[in-house]
Amino acid sequence: MEMTRPVVTTQVIGKEDTVGNYEDQEMCFYLPLKYQPDHVHEEDAGPAPRHAPLEAPQPIDDTVFLHTRPQMEVYVRRFGGFMMTQEQWEEQREAHASDLIGKPHHDNEFFTVSYSSPFTMYNRKNEVWIQALEPGQPVIAAVVAEGHWGDEDRS
């Protein structure tokens, strides 16, 4: 299967200190629509005919797993360039969080999103997502918080 995009990485801040944040990270790749039989087009009342059920390829080891993330609303900050370090992503997250002052949002989890191939040199597209927490809206827990990573020490 070819690589899909965007590549979304969940960043769960486990601990903050003067040196920086300690985070659990989970990289996610979307499966193509042919493996998503329940996909519904807004203009249709049900699945389109091209969405005949195909079983998704199964992971070959226990570090990869299939997960369907529930729908959620996010605030998005879009920017360009190569993001080479975690510090660069953190700078974008901090700038985004400061733009959200006064708006209810998830404060210890965010998503880094890359739309461009690593071979794209110009006009790169990146985003940072922070989950909106409007009244009555459920918080979507990260998969890592659900224990998929085992019991290793995360300190």
Side-chain angles (χ1 to χ4, degrees):
M1 176 184 326
E2 291 185 29
M3 186 172 161
T4 60
R5 38 180 198 232
V7 175
V8 179
T9 303
T10 306
Q11 314 275 339
V12 179
I13 301 170
K15 182 171 83 171
E16 296 181 54
D17 63 18
T18 56
V19 179
N21 292 339
Y22 293 88
E23 301 172 3
D24 283 331
Q25 298 178 347
E26 174 186 79
M27 188 174 287
C28 303
F29 300 90
Y30 287 96
L31 289 176
L33 289 176
K34 67 184 178 180
Y35 300 117
Q36 299 178 29
D38 295 330
H39 178 77
V40 177
H41 294 272
E42 290 184 24
E43 66 274 3
D44 295 336
R50 72 172 191 255
H51 295 294
L54 289 178
E55 186 174 333
Q58 295 304 302
I60 56 175
D61 64 44
D62 62 356
T63 62
V64 176
F65 54 91
L66 299 176
H67 174 73
T68 301
R69 182 175 299 281
Q71 181 176 341
M72 65 180 165
E73 291 188 25
V74 294
Y75 295 107
V76 177
R77 177 182 179 85
R78 182 173 291 165
F79 52 94
F82 273 95
M83 302 305 289
M84 301 298 286
T85 67
Q86 186 60 28
E87 287 178 347
Q88 292 173 308
W89 285 110
E90 184 63 27
E91 289 172 10
Q92 293 294 330
R93 182 200 67 84
E94 288 174 3
H96 191 21
S98 69
D99 291 341
L100 297 176
I101 291 175
K103 296 179 181 179
H105 62 278
H106 205 304
D107 61 354
N108 67 347
E109 177 181 297
F110 65 103
F111 302 85
T112 58
V113 184
S114 297
Y115 288 87
S116 305
S117 159
F119 305 108
T120 300
M121 297 296 138
Y122 303 101
N123 300 317
R124 297 182 57 79
K125 180 180 166 186
N126 305 299
E127 295 175 344
V128 170
W129 299 348
I130 296 178
Q131 185 181 358
L133 297 180
E134 297 299 327
Q137 181 180 356
V139 175
I140 306 301
V143 174
V144 294
E146 295 173 5
H148 285 280
W149 283 9
D151 296 326
E152 68 271 7
D153 182 18
R154 295 185 198 156
S155 52

